[in-house]
mmCIF file of all heavy atoms in Angstrom:
data_model
loop_
_atom_site.group_PDB
_atom_site.id
_atom_site.type_symbol
_atom_site.label_atom_id
_atom_site.label_comp_id
_atom_site.label_asym_id
_atom_site.label_seq_id
_atom_site.Cartn_x
_atom_site.Cartn_y
_atom_site.Cartn_z
ATOM 1 N N LEU A 269 -34.708 -8.460 4.211
ATOM 2 C CA LEU A 269 -34.507 -8.200 5.662
ATOM 3 C C LEU A 269 -32.973 -8.080 5.970
ATOM 4 O O LEU A 269 -32.568 -7.193 6.702
ATOM 5 C CB LEU A 269 -35.121 -9.304 6.474
ATOM 6 C CG LEU A 269 -36.643 -9.444 6.535
ATOM 7 C CD1 LEU A 269 -37.087 -10.721 7.305
ATOM 8 C CD2 LEU A 269 -37.241 -8.196 7.153
ATOM 9 N N GLY A 270 -32.193 -9.039 5.394
ATOM 10 C CA GLY A 270 -30.773 -9.005 5.660
ATOM 11 C C GLY A 270 -30.056 -7.744 5.183
ATOM 12 O O GLY A 270 -29.230 -7.193 5.860
ATOM 13 N N LEU A 271 -30.430 -7.279 4.005
ATOM 14 C CA LEU A 271 -29.835 -6.114 3.429
ATOM 15 C C LEU A 271 -30.208 -4.863 4.214
ATOM 16 O O LEU A 271 -29.364 -3.947 4.466
ATOM 17 C CB LEU A 271 -30.193 -5.945 1.968
ATOM 18 C CG LEU A 271 -29.516 -6.941 1.010
ATOM 19 C CD1 LEU A 271 -30.237 -6.964 -0.372
ATOM 20 C CD2 LEU A 271 -28.070 -6.609 0.819
ATOM 21 N N ASN A 272 -31.459 -4.753 4.673
ATOM 22 C CA ASN A 272 -31.843 -3.600 5.439
ATOM 23 C C ASN A 272 -31.213 -3.630 6.835
ATOM 24 O O ASN A 272 -30.885 -2.600 7.402
ATOM 25 C CB ASN A 272 -33.410 -3.591 5.589
ATOM 26 C CG ASN A 272 -34.081 -2.976 4.394
ATOM 27 O OD1 ASN A 272 -33.887 -1.831 4.045
ATOM 28 N ND2 ASN A 272 -34.867 -3.828 3.633
ATOM 29 N N PHE A 273 -30.979 -4.857 7.364
ATOM 30 C CA PHE A 273 -30.265 -5.036 8.606
ATOM 31 C C PHE A 273 -28.830 -4.539 8.438
ATOM 32 O O PHE A 273 -28.286 -3.805 9.294
ATOM 33 C CB PHE A 273 -30.296 -6.496 9.014
ATOM 34 C CG PHE A 273 -29.948 -6.751 10.467
ATOM 35 C CD1 PHE A 273 -30.129 -8.031 10.990
ATOM 36 C CD2 PHE A 273 -29.451 -5.722 11.313
ATOM 37 C CE1 PHE A 273 -29.760 -8.285 12.311
ATOM 38 C CE2 PHE A 273 -29.162 -6.031 12.613
ATOM 39 C CZ PHE A 273 -29.311 -7.295 13.134
ATOM 40 N N LEU A 274 -28.161 -4.949 7.333
ATOM 41 C CA LEU A 274 -26.789 -4.507 7.054
ATOM 42 C C LEU A 274 -26.681 -3.017 6.975
ATOM 43 O O LEU A 274 -25.674 -2.388 7.287
ATOM 44 C CB LEU A 274 -26.301 -5.158 5.800
ATOM 45 C CG LEU A 274 -25.812 -6.585 5.857
ATOM 46 C CD1 LEU A 274 -25.551 -7.164 4.500
ATOM 47 C CD2 LEU A 274 -24.522 -6.675 6.712
ATOM 48 N N SER A 275 -27.751 -2.351 6.457
ATOM 49 C CA SER A 275 -27.690 -0.876 6.267
ATOM 50 C C SER A 275 -27.639 -0.108 7.593
ATOM 51 O O SER A 275 -27.283 1.051 7.613
ATOM 52 C CB SER A 275 -28.896 -0.430 5.446
ATOM 53 O OG SER A 275 -30.087 -0.519 6.196
ATOM 54 N N ASN A 276 -27.989 -0.827 8.693
ATOM 55 C CA ASN A 276 -28.003 -0.147 10.008
ATOM 56 C C ASN A 276 -26.983 -0.797 10.959
ATOM 57 O O ASN A 276 -26.903 -0.388 12.134
ATOM 58 C CB ASN A 276 -29.422 -0.232 10.641
ATOM 59 C CG ASN A 276 -30.405 0.567 9.820
ATOM 60 O OD1 ASN A 276 -30.381 1.790 9.858
ATOM 61 N ND2 ASN A 276 -31.338 -0.122 9.164
ATOM 62 N N ALA A 277 -26.215 -1.762 10.469
ATOM 63 C CA ALA A 277 -25.331 -2.532 11.368
ATOM 64 C C ALA A 277 -23.985 -1.869 11.505
ATOM 65 O O ALA A 277 -23.380 -1.381 10.534
ATOM 66 C CB ALA A 277 -25.148 -3.946 10.776
ATOM 67 N N THR A 278 -23.466 -1.887 12.706
ATOM 68 C CA THR A 278 -22.097 -1.398 13.006
ATOM 69 C C THR A 278 -21.482 -2.378 14.018
ATOM 70 O O THR A 278 -22.238 -3.106 14.747
ATOM 71 C CB THR A 278 -22.074 0.012 13.548
ATOM 72 O OG1 THR A 278 -22.850 0.076 14.809
ATOM 73 C CG2 THR A 278 -22.618 1.005 12.597
ATOM 74 N N GLY A 279 -20.170 -2.392 14.105
ATOM 75 C CA GLY A 279 -19.486 -3.216 15.069
ATOM 76 C C GLY A 279 -19.862 -4.703 14.941
ATOM 77 O O GLY A 279 -20.014 -5.185 13.813
ATOM 78 N N TRP A 280 -20.038 -5.381 16.083
ATOM 79 C CA TRP A 280 -20.301 -6.821 16.009
ATOM 80 C C TRP A 280 -21.713 -7.132 15.579
ATOM 81 O O TRP A 280 -21.967 -8.288 15.233
ATOM 82 C CB TRP A 280 -20.008 -7.414 17.418
ATOM 83 C CG TRP A 280 -18.529 -7.538 17.689
ATOM 84 C CD1 TRP A 280 -17.813 -6.759 18.492
ATOM 85 C CD2 TRP A 280 -17.683 -8.529 17.169
ATOM 86 N NE1 TRP A 280 -16.475 -7.133 18.496
ATOM 87 C CE2 TRP A 280 -16.387 -8.254 17.714
ATOM 88 C CE3 TRP A 280 -17.801 -9.617 16.303
ATOM 89 C CZ2 TRP A 280 -15.247 -9.019 17.429
ATOM 90 C CZ3 TRP A 280 -16.702 -10.397 16.031
ATOM 91 C CH2 TRP A 280 -15.451 -10.077 16.563
ATOM 92 N N THR A 281 -22.563 -6.105 15.523
ATOM 93 C CA THR A 281 -23.931 -6.371 14.955
ATOM 94 C C THR A 281 -23.831 -6.847 13.511
ATOM 95 O O THR A 281 -24.773 -7.463 13.023
ATOM 96 C CB THR A 281 -24.752 -5.053 15.090
ATOM 97 O OG1 THR A 281 -24.675 -4.544 16.421
ATOM 98 C CG2 THR A 281 -26.212 -5.318 14.752
ATOM 99 N N ILE A 282 -22.793 -6.433 12.826
ATOM 100 C CA ILE A 282 -22.596 -6.858 11.424
ATOM 101 C C ILE A 282 -22.566 -8.347 11.313
ATOM 102 O O ILE A 282 -23.053 -8.931 10.281
ATOM 103 C CB ILE A 282 -21.322 -6.240 10.849
ATOM 104 C CG1 ILE A 282 -21.451 -4.743 10.710
ATOM 105 C CG2 ILE A 282 -20.954 -6.841 9.509
ATOM 106 C CD1 ILE A 282 -20.215 -4.014 10.252
ATOM 107 N N LEU A 283 -22.045 -9.060 12.362
ATOM 108 C CA LEU A 283 -22.020 -10.498 12.362
ATOM 109 C C LEU A 283 -23.417 -11.077 12.232
ATOM 110 O O LEU A 283 -23.718 -11.990 11.471
ATOM 111 C CB LEU A 283 -21.295 -11.045 13.603
ATOM 112 C CG LEU A 283 -21.220 -12.537 13.731
ATOM 113 C CD1 LEU A 283 -20.334 -13.132 12.596
ATOM 114 C CD2 LEU A 283 -20.616 -12.934 15.118
ATOM 115 N N VAL A 284 -24.368 -10.524 13.023
ATOM 116 C CA VAL A 284 -25.714 -10.990 13.061
ATOM 117 C C VAL A 284 -26.396 -10.611 11.704
ATOM 118 O O VAL A 284 -27.094 -11.458 11.075
ATOM 119 C CB VAL A 284 -26.524 -10.389 14.189
ATOM 120 C CG1 VAL A 284 -27.968 -10.905 14.231
ATOM 121 C CG2 VAL A 284 -25.838 -10.620 15.539
ATOM 122 N N ALA A 285 -26.194 -9.426 11.226
ATOM 123 C CA ALA A 285 -26.783 -8.987 9.944
ATOM 124 C C ALA A 285 -26.297 -9.840 8.811
ATOM 125 O O ALA A 285 -27.060 -10.221 7.869
ATOM 126 C CB ALA A 285 -26.466 -7.511 9.723
ATOM 127 N N SER A 286 -24.983 -10.179 8.824
ATOM 128 C CA SER A 286 -24.396 -11.004 7.766
ATOM 129 C C SER A 286 -25.017 -12.408 7.805
ATOM 130 O O SER A 286 -25.182 -13.024 6.749
ATOM 131 C CB SER A 286 -22.903 -11.140 7.974
ATOM 132 O OG SER A 286 -22.285 -9.864 7.825
ATOM 133 N N THR A 287 -25.364 -12.940 9.003
ATOM 134 C CA THR A 287 -25.987 -14.231 9.114
ATOM 135 C C THR A 287 -27.352 -14.237 8.419
ATOM 136 O O THR A 287 -27.688 -15.179 7.685
ATOM 137 C CB THR A 287 -26.135 -14.630 10.562
ATOM 138 O OG1 THR A 287 -24.866 -14.620 11.205
ATOM 139 C CG2 THR A 287 -26.745 -16.020 10.687
ATOM 140 N N VAL A 288 -28.170 -13.191 8.692
ATOM 141 C CA VAL A 288 -29.497 -13.101 8.104
ATOM 142 C C VAL A 288 -29.340 -13.013 6.584
ATOM 143 O O VAL A 288 -30.043 -13.659 5.823
ATOM 144 C CB VAL A 288 -30.271 -11.886 8.597
ATOM 145 C CG1 VAL A 288 -31.628 -11.762 7.930
ATOM 146 C CG2 VAL A 288 -30.463 -12.024 10.130
ATOM 147 N N TYR A 289 -28.386 -12.179 6.118
ATOM 148 C CA TYR A 289 -28.158 -11.975 4.695
ATOM 149 C C TYR A 289 -27.759 -13.281 4.034
ATOM 150 O O TYR A 289 -28.196 -13.622 2.977
ATOM 151 C CB TYR A 289 -27.087 -10.899 4.497
ATOM 152 C CG TYR A 289 -26.495 -10.845 3.118
ATOM 153 C CD1 TYR A 289 -27.252 -10.549 2.011
ATOM 154 C CD2 TYR A 289 -25.125 -11.157 2.938
ATOM 155 C CE1 TYR A 289 -26.697 -10.504 0.718
ATOM 156 C CE2 TYR A 289 -24.569 -11.145 1.699
ATOM 157 C CZ TYR A 289 -25.323 -10.819 0.579
ATOM 158 O OH TYR A 289 -24.772 -10.787 -0.662
ATOM 159 N N ALA A 290 -26.885 -14.057 4.746
ATOM 160 C CA ALA A 290 -26.397 -15.338 4.184
ATOM 161 C C ALA A 290 -27.555 -16.313 4.006
ATOM 162 O O ALA A 290 -27.644 -16.990 2.999
ATOM 163 C CB ALA A 290 -25.349 -15.939 5.090
ATOM 164 N N PHE A 291 -28.460 -16.345 4.953
ATOM 165 C CA PHE A 291 -29.624 -17.286 4.881
ATOM 166 C C PHE A 291 -30.520 -16.814 3.680
ATOM 167 O O PHE A 291 -31.100 -17.651 3.064
ATOM 168 C CB PHE A 291 -30.424 -17.255 6.144
ATOM 169 C CG PHE A 291 -29.953 -18.243 7.160
ATOM 170 C CD1 PHE A 291 -28.861 -17.925 8.040
ATOM 171 C CD2 PHE A 291 -30.535 -19.474 7.286
ATOM 172 C CE1 PHE A 291 -28.384 -18.836 8.978
ATOM 173 C CE2 PHE A 291 -30.049 -20.407 8.216
ATOM 174 C CZ PHE A 291 -28.956 -20.084 9.048
ATOM 175 N N GLY A 292 -30.564 -15.518 3.438
ATOM 176 C CA GLY A 292 -31.396 -15.058 2.331
ATOM 177 C C GLY A 292 -30.841 -15.366 0.977
ATOM 178 O O GLY A 292 -31.538 -15.778 0.039
#
């Protein structure tokens, strides 16, 4: 989920995507 989130993240959304990726 985190990696797919990162693939679509730009701007400050990257902060949220990075959080999900970190938990994974």
Side-chain angles (χ1 to χ4, degrees):
L269 291 175
L271 287 166
N272 280 296
F273 196 172
L274 281 169
S275 70
N276 294 290
T278 59
W280 285 102
T281 309
I282 291 175
L283 179 64
V284 183
S286 298
T287 304
V288 178
Y289 164 65
F291 274 83

